Amino acid sequence: MEKRHIRVRFAPSPTGPLHIGGVRTALYNFLFARKHGGTCILRIEDTDQNRFVPGAEAYIAESFKWCGIAFDESPEKGGPFAPYRQSDRKTLYRDYAESLVEKGFAYYAFDSEEELEKARQDLSVKGTFQYDGATRKRMKNSLTIPPSEVQELLDSGKDHVIRLKIQENEEVRFHDLIRGEVVVHTANLDDKVLFKSDGWPTYHLANVVDDHLMEISHVIRGEEWLPSAPLHVLLYRAFGWEMPEFAHLPLLLKPDGNGKLSKRDGDKLGFPVFPLQWKDQATGELSCGYRESGYLPEAFINMLAFLGWNPGTTQELFSMDEMIQVFSLEHVGKSGSRFDPAKARWFNHQYMLRKNPAELAVFLQKELTARSLSFPDKYVESVSALIHDRAELIPDLWKQSWFFFKPPESYDEETVKKKWKPETPALLTDLVNLYRSLPDFSAHTVEAATKEFLVALNLGMGQIMNPLRLCVVGSGMGPGMFDIAALLGIEEIIRRIEKGIQTIKSI
Ligand code: GLU
Protein backbone atom coordinates (compact mmCIF):
# COMPACT_ATOMS: atom_id res chain seq x y z
CA MET A 1 0.00 0.00 0.00
CA GLU A 2 1.23 3.46 -0.84
CA LYS A 3 2.46 5.35 2.21
CA ARG A 4 0.09 8.15 3.22
CA HIS A 5 1.37 11.67 3.55
CA ILE A 6 1.38 12.41 7.28
CA ARG A 7 -1.39 14.83 8.16
CA VAL A 8 -2.32 15.41 11.78
CA ARG A 9 -4.67 17.81 13.44
CA PHE A 10 -5.29 19.46 16.77
CA ALA A 11 -9.03 19.93 17.09
CA PRO A 12 -9.99 21.94 20.17
CA SER A 13 -13.51 22.99 21.04
CA PRO A 14 -13.62 26.67 21.99
CA THR A 15 -15.40 26.07 25.28
CA GLY A 16 -12.95 27.98 27.49
CA PRO A 17 -9.24 28.51 27.92
CA LEU A 18 -6.96 25.81 26.59
CA HIS A 19 -5.68 23.54 29.37
CA ILE A 20 -1.95 22.71 29.28
CA GLY A 21 -2.96 19.11 28.52
CA GLY A 22 -4.38 20.45 25.25
CA VAL A 23 -1.18 22.34 24.49
CA ARG A 24 0.75 19.12 25.05
CA THR A 25 -1.53 17.25 22.63
CA ALA A 26 -0.96 19.97 20.04
CA LEU A 27 2.78 19.83 20.68
CA TYR A 28 2.99 16.07 20.11
CA ASN A 29 0.99 16.46 16.90
CA PHE A 30 3.30 19.24 15.79
CA LEU A 31 6.49 17.33 16.64
CA PHE A 32 5.20 14.20 14.93
CA ALA A 33 4.28 16.11 11.76
CA ARG A 34 7.58 18.00 11.61
CA LYS A 35 9.59 14.87 12.27
CA HIS A 36 7.97 13.08 9.35
CA GLY A 37 7.84 16.00 6.95
CA GLY A 38 4.06 16.05 7.37
CA THR A 39 1.38 18.69 7.86
CA CYS A 40 -0.11 19.85 11.14
CA ILE A 41 -3.48 21.54 11.10
CA LEU A 42 -5.62 23.40 13.60
CA ARG A 43 -9.34 22.73 13.31
CA ILE A 44 -11.85 24.47 15.53
CA GLU A 45 -14.66 22.15 16.62
CA ASP A 46 -17.45 24.51 17.56
CA THR A 47 -20.58 22.52 16.74
CA ASP A 48 -21.82 22.52 20.31
CA GLN A 49 -23.47 25.90 20.41
CA ASN A 50 -24.43 25.56 24.07
CA ARG A 51 -20.82 25.35 25.15
CA PHE A 52 -19.44 28.07 22.90
CA VAL A 53 -17.40 30.66 24.80
CA PRO A 54 -16.60 33.97 23.09
CA GLY A 55 -12.90 34.71 23.01
CA ALA A 56 -11.84 31.08 23.41
CA GLU A 57 -10.78 30.66 19.78
CA ALA A 58 -8.68 33.82 19.86
CA TYR A 59 -7.16 32.58 23.12
CA ILE A 60 -6.21 29.29 21.46
CA ALA A 61 -4.55 31.09 18.53
CA GLU A 62 -2.63 33.44 20.82
CA SER A 63 -1.46 30.59 23.03
CA PHE A 64 0.11 28.77 20.11
CA LYS A 65 1.71 31.95 18.81
CA TRP A 66 3.28 32.49 22.22
CA CYS A 67 4.66 29.00 22.58
CA GLY A 68 5.90 28.63 19.03
CA ILE A 69 3.60 25.96 17.62
CA ALA A 70 2.89 27.04 14.07
CA PHE A 71 0.13 25.22 12.22
CA ASP A 72 0.40 24.72 8.48
CA GLU A 73 -3.34 25.04 7.97
CA SER A 74 -5.80 26.78 10.30
CA PRO A 75 -8.84 29.07 10.35
CA GLU A 76 -6.48 32.04 10.40
CA LYS A 77 -4.07 30.79 7.78
CA GLY A 78 -6.47 28.92 5.51
CA GLY A 79 -5.30 26.00 3.41
CA PRO A 80 -6.43 23.52 0.76
CA PHE A 81 -9.12 22.00 2.98
CA ALA A 82 -10.67 25.26 4.21
CA PRO A 83 -12.76 26.16 6.05
CA TYR A 84 -11.11 24.91 9.26
CA ARG A 85 -13.86 26.01 11.61
CA GLN A 86 -16.70 23.52 11.82
CA SER A 87 -19.37 26.20 12.17
CA ASP A 88 -18.27 27.39 8.73
CA ARG A 89 -18.79 23.86 7.39
CA LYS A 90 -22.23 23.41 8.97
CA THR A 91 -24.13 22.67 5.75
CA LEU A 92 -21.88 19.79 4.89
CA TYR A 93 -22.69 17.29 7.60
CA ARG A 94 -26.40 16.50 7.23
CA ASP A 95 -25.88 14.69 3.91
CA TYR A 96 -23.28 12.43 5.47
CA ALA A 97 -25.62 11.49 8.29
CA GLU A 98 -28.44 10.83 5.81
CA SER A 99 -26.20 8.67 3.65
CA LEU A 100 -25.76 6.41 6.67
CA VAL A 101 -29.54 6.22 7.14
CA GLU A 102 -29.87 5.17 3.50
CA LYS A 103 -27.27 2.46 3.97
CA GLY A 104 -29.00 1.18 7.10
CA PHE A 105 -26.23 2.21 9.51
CA ALA A 106 -28.20 5.01 11.11
CA TYR A 107 -31.83 5.99 11.69
CA TYR A 108 -34.11 8.92 12.39
CA ALA A 109 -35.29 9.09 15.99
CA PHE A 110 -38.33 11.20 16.87
CA ASP A 111 -38.37 10.74 20.63
CA SER A 112 -39.41 13.77 22.62
CA GLU A 113 -37.62 14.83 25.79
CA GLU A 114 -40.49 13.41 27.87
CA GLU A 115 -40.38 10.07 26.06
CA LEU A 116 -36.64 9.86 26.60
CA GLU A 117 -37.01 10.71 30.25
CA LYS A 118 -39.63 8.02 30.68
CA ALA A 119 -37.40 5.46 28.96
CA ARG A 120 -34.55 6.52 31.23
CA GLN A 121 -36.68 5.83 34.27
CA ASP A 122 -38.12 2.56 32.96
CA LEU A 123 -34.96 1.12 31.50
CA SER A 124 -32.02 2.31 33.48
CA VAL A 125 -30.07 -0.50 35.05
CA LYS A 126 -28.23 0.56 38.21
CA GLY A 127 -28.72 4.20 37.31
CA THR A 128 -27.20 3.96 33.84
CA PHE A 129 -29.24 4.24 30.72
CA GLN A 130 -28.16 3.17 27.26
CA TYR A 131 -29.95 4.01 24.05
CA ASP A 132 -29.08 0.63 22.60
CA GLY A 133 -30.62 -2.21 20.61
CA ALA A 134 -33.18 -3.01 23.30
CA THR A 135 -34.15 0.61 23.89
CA ARG A 136 -34.27 1.41 20.21
CA LYS A 137 -37.00 -1.22 19.65
CA ARG A 138 -39.34 0.48 22.14
CA MET A 139 -38.83 4.01 20.85
CA LYS A 140 -40.25 6.04 18.01
CA ASN A 141 -37.80 5.88 15.15
CA SER A 142 -37.42 4.96 11.52
CA LEU A 143 -36.70 1.37 12.50
CA THR A 144 -39.94 0.96 14.46
CA ILE A 145 -42.49 2.97 12.47
CA PRO A 146 -43.50 2.52 8.83
CA PRO A 147 -41.55 4.46 6.15
CA SER A 148 -44.62 6.46 5.11
CA GLU A 149 -45.05 7.73 8.66
CA VAL A 150 -41.34 8.55 8.86
CA GLN A 151 -41.66 10.60 5.70
CA GLU A 152 -44.71 12.38 7.06
CA LEU A 153 -42.93 13.26 10.26
CA LEU A 154 -39.89 14.52 8.37
CA ASP A 155 -42.07 16.54 5.97
CA SER A 156 -44.00 18.08 8.83
CA GLY A 157 -40.73 19.32 10.34
CA LYS A 158 -41.05 17.20 13.49
CA ASP A 159 -38.00 17.47 15.74
CA HIS A 160 -35.69 14.53 15.27
CA VAL A 161 -32.12 13.36 15.56
CA ILE A 162 -30.10 10.88 13.52
CA ARG A 163 -28.58 8.07 15.55
CA LEU A 164 -25.93 5.52 14.68
CA LYS A 165 -27.28 1.98 14.76
CA ILE A 166 -24.86 -0.05 16.82
CA GLN A 167 -24.85 -3.73 15.85
CA GLU A 168 -25.56 -6.08 18.70
CA ASN A 169 -23.05 -8.63 19.87
CA GLU A 170 -19.99 -7.49 18.02
CA GLU A 171 -16.43 -6.77 19.04
CA VAL A 172 -14.89 -3.56 17.82
CA ARG A 173 -11.12 -3.88 17.52
CA PHE A 174 -8.57 -1.33 16.56
CA HIS A 175 -4.90 -0.72 17.01
CA ASP A 176 -3.70 2.21 19.08
CA LEU A 177 -0.10 3.30 18.56
CA ILE A 178 0.35 3.86 22.29
CA ARG A 179 -2.02 1.35 23.85
CA GLY A 180 -1.76 -1.48 21.36
CA GLU A 181 -4.83 -3.61 20.63
CA VAL A 182 -8.07 -2.11 21.94
CA VAL A 183 -11.21 -4.28 22.04
CA VAL A 184 -14.64 -3.01 23.01
CA HIS A 185 -17.85 -4.98 22.92
CA THR A 186 -20.81 -3.24 21.29
CA ALA A 187 -22.89 -4.06 24.38
CA ASN A 188 -20.98 -1.19 25.98
CA LEU A 189 -21.79 1.31 23.26
CA ASP A 190 -25.01 3.14 22.67
CA ASP A 191 -26.68 4.54 19.59
CA LYS A 192 -24.93 7.90 19.70
CA VAL A 193 -26.61 10.89 18.15
CA LEU A 194 -24.83 11.93 14.96
CA PHE A 195 -27.03 14.80 13.98
CA LYS A 196 -29.00 16.90 16.43
CA SER A 197 -32.50 18.38 16.22
CA ASP A 198 -31.00 21.89 16.29
CA GLY A 199 -29.50 21.31 12.84
CA TRP A 200 -25.94 20.78 14.06
CA PRO A 201 -23.83 17.63 13.81
CA THR A 202 -22.49 16.16 17.03
CA TYR A 203 -18.77 16.08 17.77
CA HIS A 204 -18.58 12.42 16.67
CA LEU A 205 -19.99 12.96 13.19
CA ALA A 206 -18.24 16.25 12.43
CA ASN A 207 -14.93 14.96 13.78
CA VAL A 208 -14.93 11.80 11.66
CA VAL A 209 -16.24 13.51 8.52
CA ASP A 210 -13.62 16.24 8.79
CA ASP A 211 -10.77 13.87 9.58
CA HIS A 212 -11.71 12.00 6.42
CA LEU A 213 -12.19 15.06 4.22
CA MET A 214 -9.00 16.67 5.52
CA GLU A 215 -7.10 13.44 4.81
CA ILE A 216 -5.90 13.03 8.38
CA SER A 217 -3.48 10.11 8.62
CA HIS A 218 -3.00 10.03 12.41
CA VAL A 219 -5.42 11.01 15.16
CA ILE A 220 -3.25 11.93 18.15
CA ARG A 221 -5.39 13.07 21.08
CA GLY A 222 -5.92 12.81 24.81
CA GLU A 223 -6.91 9.62 26.57
CA GLU A 224 -10.28 11.11 27.46
CA TRP A 225 -11.28 10.42 23.84
CA LEU A 226 -10.44 6.73 23.98
CA PRO A 227 -14.05 5.75 24.86
CA SER A 228 -15.20 7.54 21.69
CA ALA A 229 -12.72 5.76 19.46
CA PRO A 230 -14.74 2.51 18.93
CA LEU A 231 -17.66 4.61 17.81
CA HIS A 232 -15.42 6.43 15.37
CA VAL A 233 -14.11 3.12 14.09
CA LEU A 234 -17.70 2.03 13.43
CA LEU A 235 -18.37 5.30 11.62
CA TYR A 236 -15.35 4.85 9.35
CA ARG A 237 -16.58 1.36 8.54
CA ALA A 238 -20.11 2.52 7.88
CA PHE A 239 -18.88 5.22 5.53
CA GLY A 240 -16.46 2.79 3.89
CA TRP A 241 -13.53 5.14 4.50
CA GLU A 242 -9.91 4.34 5.23
CA MET A 243 -9.23 4.76 8.93
CA PRO A 244 -6.52 6.98 10.35
CA GLU A 245 -4.07 5.56 12.85
CA PHE A 246 -4.98 6.30 16.45
CA ALA A 247 -2.73 7.37 19.32
CA HIS A 248 -4.34 8.22 22.67
CA LEU A 249 -2.00 10.19 24.92
CA PRO A 250 -1.76 9.59 28.68
CA LEU A 251 -3.56 11.94 31.06
CA LEU A 252 -1.84 14.73 32.95
CA LEU A 253 -2.23 13.97 36.63
CA LYS A 254 -2.32 16.09 39.77
CA PRO A 255 1.03 16.53 41.55
CA ASP A 256 0.07 13.78 44.03
CA GLY A 257 -0.85 11.45 41.17
CA ASN A 258 -4.49 11.15 42.26
CA GLY A 259 -6.66 12.08 39.32
CA LYS A 260 -6.65 14.44 36.41
CA LEU A 261 -4.86 17.77 36.72
CA SER A 262 -7.50 20.46 37.12
CA LYS A 263 -7.72 24.20 37.38
CA ARG A 264 -8.47 23.82 41.05
CA ASP A 265 -5.13 22.07 41.67
CA GLY A 266 -3.39 25.02 40.11
CA ASP A 267 -5.29 27.52 42.26
CA LYS A 268 -4.63 25.47 45.38
CA LEU A 269 -0.93 24.88 44.85
CA GLY A 270 -0.14 28.15 43.08
CA PHE A 271 0.80 27.14 39.55
CA PRO A 272 -0.90 27.85 36.24
CA VAL A 273 -2.77 25.18 34.29
CA PHE A 274 -3.32 27.48 31.32
CA PRO A 275 -0.72 28.81 28.89
CA LEU A 276 -2.03 32.39 29.11
CA GLN A 277 -4.06 34.30 31.64
CA TRP A 278 -7.81 33.90 31.20
CA LYS A 279 -10.66 35.99 32.48
CA ASP A 280 -13.95 34.19 32.82
CA GLN A 281 -16.55 36.48 31.25
CA ALA A 282 -19.39 35.15 33.37
CA THR A 283 -17.79 35.15 36.80
CA GLY A 284 -15.00 37.69 36.23
CA GLU A 285 -12.61 35.16 37.76
CA LEU A 286 -9.02 35.50 36.61
CA SER A 287 -6.88 32.39 36.08
CA CYS A 288 -3.15 32.82 35.82
CA GLY A 289 -1.14 31.73 32.81
CA TYR A 290 2.42 30.55 32.22
CA ARG A 291 3.18 33.63 30.14
CA GLU A 292 2.00 36.09 32.77
CA SER A 293 3.70 34.12 35.56
CA GLY A 294 7.01 34.72 33.85
CA TYR A 295 7.80 31.45 32.09
CA LEU A 296 9.78 31.46 28.88
CA PRO A 297 7.85 29.82 26.03
CA GLU A 298 10.77 27.52 25.18
CA ALA A 299 10.96 26.31 28.79
CA PHE A 300 7.21 25.81 28.94
CA ILE A 301 7.32 23.68 25.78
CA ASN A 302 10.31 21.66 26.97
CA MET A 303 8.60 20.99 30.30
CA LEU A 304 5.33 19.97 28.60
CA ALA A 305 7.08 17.61 26.20
CA PHE A 306 8.42 15.65 29.14
CA LEU A 307 4.94 15.10 30.57
CA GLY A 308 4.32 11.80 28.85
CA TRP A 309 7.32 11.49 26.55
CA ASN A 310 10.93 10.78 27.27
CA PRO A 311 13.76 10.68 24.78
CA GLY A 312 15.29 7.52 26.25
CA THR A 313 18.46 9.40 27.25
CA THR A 314 19.40 11.52 30.24
CA GLN A 315 19.24 14.78 28.28
CA GLU A 316 16.46 17.00 29.59
CA LEU A 317 16.90 20.28 27.77
CA PHE A 318 15.70 20.29 24.20
CA SER A 319 15.01 23.10 21.81
CA MET A 320 11.99 22.65 19.56
CA ASP A 321 14.28 21.64 16.68
CA GLU A 322 16.09 19.09 18.82
CA MET A 323 12.77 17.66 19.95
CA ILE A 324 11.61 17.35 16.37
CA GLN A 325 14.71 15.30 15.62
CA VAL A 326 14.18 12.79 18.40
CA PHE A 327 10.41 12.71 18.92
CA SER A 328 8.60 9.43 18.46
CA LEU A 329 5.27 8.07 19.66
CA GLU A 330 7.05 4.91 20.79
CA HIS A 331 8.57 6.95 23.58
CA VAL A 332 5.20 8.17 24.82
CA GLY A 333 4.15 6.21 27.92
CA LYS A 334 0.79 4.59 28.62
CA SER A 335 0.39 5.70 32.20
CA GLY A 336 -0.60 9.18 33.32
CA SER A 337 2.10 11.78 33.91
CA ARG A 338 2.19 13.52 37.21
CA PHE A 339 2.57 17.29 36.94
CA ASP A 340 5.43 18.61 39.06
CA PRO A 341 5.35 22.39 39.64
CA ALA A 342 8.90 22.44 41.02
CA LYS A 343 10.16 20.72 37.89
CA ALA A 344 8.34 23.30 35.77
CA ARG A 345 10.24 26.07 37.57
CA TRP A 346 13.46 24.09 37.24
CA PHE A 347 13.05 24.00 33.46
CA ASN A 348 12.48 27.72 33.40
CA HIS A 349 15.52 28.37 35.54
CA GLN A 350 17.67 26.34 33.13
CA TYR A 351 16.47 28.47 30.24
CA MET A 352 17.00 31.67 32.21
CA LEU A 353 20.58 30.57 32.87
CA ARG A 354 21.12 30.08 29.15
CA LYS A 355 20.13 33.68 28.38
CA ASN A 356 22.90 36.25 28.18
CA PRO A 357 22.76 39.54 30.16
CA ALA A 358 21.60 41.51 27.12
CA GLU A 359 18.62 39.17 26.68
CA LEU A 360 17.73 39.36 30.37
CA ALA A 361 18.09 43.14 30.26
CA VAL A 362 15.24 43.27 27.76
CA PHE A 363 12.90 41.77 30.40
CA LEU A 364 14.20 44.16 33.05
CA GLN A 365 13.73 47.14 30.74
CA LYS A 366 10.04 46.15 30.43
CA GLU A 367 9.70 46.18 34.22
CA LEU A 368 11.40 49.56 34.36
CA THR A 369 9.15 51.03 31.70
CA ALA A 370 6.11 49.73 33.57
CA ARG A 371 7.38 51.64 36.62
CA SER A 372 8.21 54.78 34.62
CA LEU A 373 11.91 54.34 35.35
CA SER A 374 14.58 54.80 32.74
CA PHE A 375 18.15 53.46 32.75
CA PRO A 376 20.70 52.99 29.96
CA ASP A 377 20.90 49.49 28.41
CA LYS A 378 24.50 49.07 29.44
CA TYR A 379 23.72 49.64 33.10
CA VAL A 380 20.74 47.27 32.99
CA GLU A 381 22.91 44.64 31.33
CA SER A 382 25.51 44.94 34.09
CA VAL A 383 22.76 44.47 36.68
CA SER A 384 21.48 41.43 34.77
CA ALA A 385 24.95 39.93 34.77
CA LEU A 386 25.12 40.20 38.58
CA ILE A 387 21.76 38.55 39.31
CA HIS A 388 21.75 36.25 36.32
CA ASP A 389 21.61 32.96 38.24
CA ARG A 390 19.13 34.14 40.86
CA ALA A 391 15.99 34.27 38.71
CA GLU A 392 13.86 31.19 38.21
CA LEU A 393 11.02 33.12 36.58
CA ILE A 394 11.09 36.44 34.74
CA PRO A 395 9.59 38.48 37.63
CA ASP A 396 12.44 37.26 39.85
CA LEU A 397 14.77 39.48 37.82
CA TRP A 398 13.08 42.55 39.27
CA LYS A 399 12.68 41.03 42.74
CA GLN A 400 16.42 40.38 42.80
CA SER A 401 17.53 43.72 41.41
CA TRP A 402 15.10 46.55 42.18
CA PHE A 403 17.63 48.21 44.54
CA PHE A 404 19.90 48.91 41.58
CA PHE A 405 17.20 51.24 40.30
CA LYS A 406 15.84 52.91 43.43
CA PRO A 407 16.90 53.25 47.06
CA PRO A 408 15.13 51.18 49.72
CA GLU A 409 12.11 52.82 51.27
CA SER A 410 12.17 50.71 54.40
CA TYR A 411 14.56 48.45 56.28
CA ASP A 412 13.93 44.86 57.17
CA GLU A 413 13.15 44.78 60.89
CA GLU A 414 14.66 41.38 61.60
CA THR A 415 17.96 42.42 60.04
CA VAL A 416 17.93 45.73 61.93
CA LYS A 417 17.33 43.88 65.17
CA LYS A 418 20.20 41.49 64.60
CA LYS A 419 22.78 43.57 62.77
CA TRP A 420 22.40 47.23 63.71
CA LYS A 421 24.36 48.03 66.89
CA PRO A 422 24.75 51.29 68.81
CA GLU A 423 28.30 51.68 67.42
CA THR A 424 27.20 51.04 63.79
CA PRO A 425 26.51 54.69 62.77
CA ALA A 426 30.00 55.81 63.82
CA LEU A 427 31.62 52.92 61.96
CA LEU A 428 29.66 53.66 58.81
CA THR A 429 30.59 57.35 59.03
CA ASP A 430 34.28 56.35 59.09
CA LEU A 431 33.63 54.07 56.13
CA VAL A 432 32.08 56.93 54.16
CA ASN A 433 35.17 59.04 54.80
CA LEU A 434 37.37 56.17 53.70
CA TYR A 435 35.35 55.72 50.50
CA ARG A 436 35.66 59.42 49.70
CA SER A 437 39.45 59.10 49.82
CA LEU A 438 39.66 56.21 47.33
CA PRO A 439 41.33 56.81 43.93
CA ASP A 440 38.53 54.90 42.18
CA PHE A 441 35.36 53.01 43.13
CA SER A 442 35.85 49.69 41.39
CA ALA A 443 34.66 46.53 43.20
CA HIS A 444 38.28 45.54 43.68
CA THR A 445 39.35 48.87 45.24
CA VAL A 446 36.29 49.04 47.50
CA GLU A 447 36.84 45.48 48.67
CA ALA A 448 40.54 45.95 49.44
CA ALA A 449 39.92 49.20 51.31
CA THR A 450 36.97 47.83 53.29
CA LYS A 451 38.97 44.78 54.35
CA GLU A 452 41.93 46.88 55.43
CA PHE A 453 39.57 49.06 57.45
CA LEU A 454 38.18 45.97 59.22
CA VAL A 455 41.61 44.56 60.00
CA ALA A 456 42.83 47.89 61.38
CA LEU A 457 39.86 48.05 63.76
CA ASN A 458 40.00 44.36 64.50
CA LEU A 459 36.39 43.91 63.39
CA GLY A 460 34.70 40.91 61.82
CA MET A 461 33.37 41.12 58.25
CA GLY A 462 29.73 40.98 59.37
CA GLN A 463 30.06 43.94 61.69
CA ILE A 464 30.33 46.31 58.79
CA MET A 465 29.08 44.39 55.76
CA ASN A 466 25.64 43.63 57.22
CA PRO A 467 24.81 47.23 58.19
CA LEU A 468 26.24 48.42 54.87
CA ARG A 469 23.99 46.03 52.96
CA LEU A 470 21.03 47.05 55.10
CA CYS A 471 21.54 50.71 54.10
CA VAL A 472 22.03 49.97 50.42
CA VAL A 473 19.54 47.15 49.83
CA GLY A 474 17.15 47.46 52.79
CA SER A 475 17.59 43.81 53.83
CA GLY A 476 20.16 41.01 53.85
CA MET A 477 19.61 39.94 50.23
CA GLY A 478 21.44 40.53 46.97
CA PRO A 479 24.64 39.70 45.12
CA GLY A 480 28.17 40.55 46.33
CA MET A 481 28.20 43.86 48.23
CA PHE A 482 31.30 45.21 46.49
CA ASP A 483 29.80 44.52 43.05
CA ILE A 484 26.66 46.36 44.11
CA ALA A 485 28.73 49.27 45.37
CA ALA A 486 30.79 49.56 42.20
CA LEU A 487 27.70 49.50 40.00
CA LEU A 488 25.71 52.02 42.04
CA GLY A 489 28.73 54.33 42.28
CA ILE A 490 30.21 56.26 45.19
CA GLU A 491 27.64 59.08 45.32
CA GLU A 492 24.64 56.77 45.52
CA ILE A 493 26.33 54.49 48.05
CA ILE A 494 27.17 57.40 50.33
CA ARG A 495 23.69 58.84 49.96
CA ARG A 496 22.20 55.52 51.04
CA ILE A 497 24.60 55.07 53.96
CA GLU A 498 23.85 58.58 55.22
CA LYS A 499 20.12 58.03 54.89
CA GLY A 500 20.51 54.74 56.80
CA ILE A 501 22.44 56.40 59.58
CA GLN A 502 19.67 58.98 59.96
CA THR A 503 16.77 56.58 59.68
CA ILE A 504 17.75 53.28 61.22
CA LYS A 505 17.69 53.15 64.97
CA SER A 506 19.03 50.18 66.84
CA ILE A 507 16.32 48.22 68.57
N1 GLU B 1 -13.04 18.64 19.82
C1 GLU B 1 -12.41 17.61 20.60
C2 GLU B 1 -11.78 18.31 21.80
O1 GLU B 1 -12.30 19.28 22.22
C3 GLU B 1 -11.39 16.89 19.75
C4 GLU B 1 -11.07 15.51 20.16
C5 GLU B 1 -10.29 14.83 19.06
O2 GLU B 1 -9.13 15.20 18.89
O3 GLU B 1 -10.86 14.01 18.37
O4 GLU B 1 -10.77 17.94 22.35
Side-chain angles (χ1 to χ4, degrees):
M1 203 166 83
E2 202 189 317
K3 215 166 160 255
R4 278 171 101 175
H5 174 71
I6 302 263
R7 285 180 57 83
V8 293
R9 80 320 188 254
F10 178 60
S13 298
T15 54
L18 189 61
H19 186 275
I20 54 172
V23 184
R24 188 201 55 174
T25 299
L27 174 65
Y28 287 5
N29 273 284
F30 176 77
L31 295 173
F32 183 76
R34 287 287 174 276
K35 164 97 190 225
H36 297 286
T39 304
C40 185
I41 77 175
L42 174 68
R43 182 175 72 225
I44 298 294
E45 300 205 326
D46 56 350
T47 58
D48 190 345
Q49 296 295 293
N50 297 328
R51 296 183 61 217
F52 180 79
V53 171
E57 185 184 328
Y59 177 96
I60 291 168
E62 200 184 333
S63 299
F64 289 126
K65 233 166 256 157
W66 176 66
C67 64
I69 295 176
F71 293 97
D72 304 301
E73 299 166 22
S74 69
E76 230 176 312
K77 208 170 168 204
F81 298 87
Y84 292 91
R85 191 181 291 114
Q86 288 184 329
S87 56
D88 295 335
R89 305 167 66 79
K90 186 181 173 194
T91 53
L92 194 117
Y93 303 107
R94 170 99 197 177
D95 287 351
Y96 284 99
E98 284 186 340
S99 76
L100 292 187
V101 177
E102 269 158 41
K103 290 202 258 177
F105 291 119
Y107 58 92
Y108 297 110
F110 299 96
D111 318 305
S112 65
E113 261 316 309
E114 296 76 51
E115 285 160 344
L116 276 173
E117 191 43 50
K118 182 158 189 327
R120 241 171 242 135
Q121 280 169 10
D122 292 353
L123 301 175
S124 68
V125 185
K126 287 197 216 124
T128 57
F129 168 72
Q130 282 216 142
Y131 199 113
D132 56 15
T135 312
R136 180 202 301 149
K137 286 186 192 113
R138 307 173 32 137
M139 307 298 285
K140 193 171 172 188
N141 55 54
S142 57
L143 302 171
T144 56
I145 55 177
S148 55
E149 202 179 317
V150 171
Q151 200 51 53
E152 256 169 50
L153 287 170
L154 290 177
D155 292 345
S156 71
K158 164 108 178 116
D159 270 357
H160 64 277
V161 300
I162 298 177
R163 285 184 186 268
L164 182 68
K165 184 182 168 194
I166 301 276
Q167 301 301 327
E168 276 165 75
N169 232 343
E170 208 186 292
E171 273 183 345
V172 186
R173 287 172 185 273
F174 66 95
H175 181 77
D176 185 280
L177 291 170
I178 293 168
R179 268 140 236 283
E181 188 80 352
V182 179
V183 187
V184 178
H185 199 276
T186 51
N188 298 316
L189 302 174
D190 59 359
D191 288 1
K192 277 274 177 308
V193 173
L194 302 176
F195 202 87
K196 295 179 285 182
S197 56
D198 63 2
W200 288 90
T202 57
Y203 151 72
H204 301 292
L205 178 70
N207 183 271
V208 166
V209 166
D210 283 344
D211 280 349
H212 169 71
L213 294 178
M214 296 182 179
E215 298 176 6
I216 297 305
S217 64
H218 293 73
V219 167
I220 304 171
R221 62 185 171 193
E223 187 182 311
E224 61 273 30
W225 299 102
L226 190 59
S228 301
L231 194 83
H232 298 176
V233 170
L234 291 175
L235 276 171
Y236 279 102
R237 277 199 215 147
F239 281 120
W241 293 337
E242 185 182 352
M243 236 177 17
E245 300 266 10
F246 287 105
H248 288 90
L249 306 172
L251 291 176
L252 287 195
L253 303 178
K254 297 176 192 299
D256 66 8
N258 288 323
K260 235 169 111 172
L261 180 68
S262 74
K263 189 173 101 56
R264 233 170 306 132
D265 302 312
D267 294 342
K268 217 164 49 198
L269 299 167
F271 61 85
V273 296
F274 302 121
L276 314 179
Q277 182 173 290
W278 169 263
K279 186 167 178 189
D280 189 303
Q281 306 263 316
T283 63
E285 191 195 349
L286 201 65
S287 301
C288 63
Y290 278 84
R291 182 178 66 181
E292 291 73 15
S293 303
Y295 283 80
L296 299 165
E298 53 274 38
F300 171 67
I301 283 297
N302 196 156
M303 174 277 287
L304 267 190
F306 268 80
L307 292 172
W309 166 81
N310 78 74
T313 64
T314 51
Q315 185 181 342
E316 286 186 285
L317 301 182
F318 285 86
S319 67
M320 190 72 102
D321 284 343
E322 287 170 323
M323 266 189 289
I324 290 169
Q325 295 299 317
V326 295
F327 185 78
S328 90
L329 287 174
E330 276 127 56
H331 282 124
V332 174
K334 275 201 203 51
S335 48
S337 313
R338 202 187 272 231
F339 179 79
D340 178 354
K343 190 74 186 183
R345 285 196 305 276
W346 178 86
F347 270 109
N348 207 66
H349 192 202
Q350 298 308 309
Y351 277 84
M352 293 292 276
L353 291 174
R354 286 171 153 202
K355 297 249 177 241
N356 63 38
E359 288 168 321
L360 295 178
V362 174
F363 296 123
L364 263 182
Q365 283 289 17
K366 273 194 201 137
E367 295 277 355
L368 290 166
T369 309
R371 291 173 167 81
S372 308
L373 294 169
S374 162
F375 284 84
D377 285 340
K378 239 182 125 357
Y379 178 77
V380 181
E381 276 175 37
S382 305
V383 172
S384 302
L386 283 185
I387 53 137
H388 177 240
D389 54 353
R390 294 168 172 257
E392 267 189 338
L393 305 178
I394 296 170
D396 297 337
L397 289 169
W398 173 258
K399 287 184 201 148
Q400 293 291 339
S401 72
W402 60 269
F403 48 85
F404 285 101
F405 307 105
K406 56 184 194 130
E409 275 151 22
S410 62
Y411 302 95
D412 177 55
E413 261 184 41
E414 273 306 298
T415 320
V416 171
K417 225 185 272 177
K418 283 200 207 117
K419 315 286 182 188
W420 197 269
K421 305 283 178 235
E423 63 277 17
T424 303
L427 280 175
L428 286 174
T429 307
D430 290 345
L431 195 69
V432 166
N433 291 332
L434 170 69
Y435 285 172
R436 282 204 197 281
S437 71
L438 295 178
D440 65 81
F441 208 63
S442 68
H444 177 76
T445 309
V446 181
E447 180 170 2
T450 311
K451 282 185 175 160
E452 243 172 66
F453 173 82
L454 290 171
V455 172
L457 294 176
N458 202 15
L459 294 173
M461 225 13 194
Q463 280 168 286
I464 200 72
M465 296 314 289
N466 290 325
L468 176 60
R469 187 179 285 278
L470 193 59
C471 292
V472 175
V473 176
S475 69
M477 67 169 286
M481 195 51 228
F482 303 116
D483 292 321
I484 300 178
L487 208 52
L488 281 174
I490 184 160
E491 294 310 326
E492 180 64 16
I493 287 294
I494 290 177
R495 239 194 318 275
R496 292 192 190 184
I497 296 175
E498 284 173 348
K499 167 108 187 287
I501 292 172
Q502 281 167 21
T503 324
I504 308 172
K505 301 273 171 278
S506 52
I507 305 171

